[in-house]
Amino acid sequence: MEIFKKIVELQNALFEARKAGKKIGLVPTMGALHEGHASLVRRSMKENDLTVVSVFVNPTQFNDKNDLKNYPRTLEADCKLLEQCGADFVFAPEVEEMYPTPDTRSFEYPPVSTVMEGAHRPGHFNGVCQVVSRLFYIVRPDNAYFGEKDWQQIAVIKAMVRHLQLDVQIVECPIVRDDDGLARSSRNTLLAPNERAIAPTIYKVLKESVDYAKKHSLKETHQFVVESINAVDGLDVEYFSIVDGDTLQDVADWNDSPYIVGCITVYCGKTPIRLIDHIKYKSSGK
Ligand code: PAF
């Protein structure tokens, strides 16, 4: 496995690979890697000849300075995990390498980028698009792999790819969960033991709500989820939106769409740590 800090060095190596006809897969990450990331890397390795994993905590997608400061940075451990997975290239640039000058580009993809995370974290998706578009220009991957945990992020990145007419396939990969159901996330390492103990309630309630939804209205189901989670001391729902899976717009009734997803963000503990998850109520073959 080779580790690159400089764009030009990575690009020289990729030039050789492309000349040899190799198909290139990219797994963009912010590090603090876990089994969820490993599953993306393995999938990329199966479907491509060469896999690049980027490890970069992107400052432009944080709308909270403390969140950026506290975000876990574990490059050495990340490289060990990637070596075990068999990744070919790691790209771990410094901020000045990715942004030699401030990125003034603005990406807005309403409605998918303006609701839910877009509404609660102003500028977040703009920053995600800034860095992901740069990574796409630098690596020019055939395929790029993203975890479904950040379900809205995938919709925004797909909109960006269409807008910029980029020749890259976005591959959505299933959420990886711990045995108790908590979605794997780099932020989970920030949870204190008592916070880690209550965090699985989020997915437990979401799962229960699928059965509940069979006999209750959408409004009642919404209330059931929010009240059940808020009833746990230490959990505080920021938003729970039940949306059309394609437009990401709120739906009012179960019959309003063949594809309905519930998306939730919950604050956990004293710090607090922001956890996101989602559940599909109707998936129309998706
Ligand atoms: O999902 C993430 O970890 C980040 O948003 C991404 C896609 C690596 C961009 O920084």
Side-chain angles (χ1 to χ4, degrees), residues 64-80:
D64 174 341
K65 275 197 185 114
N66 273 332
D67 193 19
L68 172 62
K69 197 175 112 216
N70 295 332
Y71 200 85
R73 288 162 173 85
T74 57
L75 185 59
E76 212 173 299
D78 292 344
C79 287
K80 272 195 195 133

Side-chain angles (χ1 to χ4, degrees), residues 151-169:
W151 186 73
Q152 188 180 2
Q153 172 171 275
I154 294 180
V156 173
I157 289 171
K158 281 183 167 174
M160 180 195 76
V161 165
R162 280 195 298 275
H163 169 224
L164 300 179
Q165 298 180 309
L166 299 174
D167 190 14
V168 54
Q169 197 63 35

Side-chain angles (χ1 to χ4, degrees), residues 28-30 56 58 61 128 131-132 146 150 153:
T29 82
M30 296 208 299
F56 178 66
N58 172 39
Q61 72 187 72
V128 169
V131 76
V132 172
F146 294 90
D150 297 301
Q153 172 171 275

Side-chain angles (χ1 to χ4, degrees), residues 177 180-183 191 194-209 224-237 264 266-268 275 277 279:
R177 297 183 181 279
D180 57 13
L182 180 64
L191 294 168
N194 61 325
E195 296 167 348
R196 176 64 189 76
I198 54 173
T201 308
I202 301 166
Y203 186 56
K204 183 173 158 281
V205 170
L206 287 179
K207 260 197 335 200
E208 285 168 6
S209 77
F224 167 79
V225 169
V226 174
E227 286 180 358
S228 307
I229 293 177
N230 281 344
V232 177
D233 193 23
L235 295 181
D236 185 16
V237 176
I264 196 157
V266 179
Y267 285 107
C268 179
L275 301 172
D277 208 337
I279 193 100

Side-chain angles (χ1 to χ4, degrees), residues 102-115:
D103 195 330
T104 53
R105 295 172 304 158
S106 176
F107 299 89
E108 285 281 339
Y109 300 112
V112 293
S113 70
T114 47
V115 294

Side-chain angles (χ1 to χ4, degrees), residues 225-256:
V225 169
V226 174
E227 286 180 358
S228 307
I229 293 177
N230 281 344
V232 177
D233 193 23
L235 295 181
D236 185 16
V237 176
E238 181 179 38
Y239 68 83
F240 177 52
S241 299
I242 303 182
V243 300
D244 175 285
D246 290 314
T247 64
L248 274 57
Q249 298 305 286
D250 281 338
V251 285
D253 189 278
W254 295 124
N255 293 321
D256 282 356

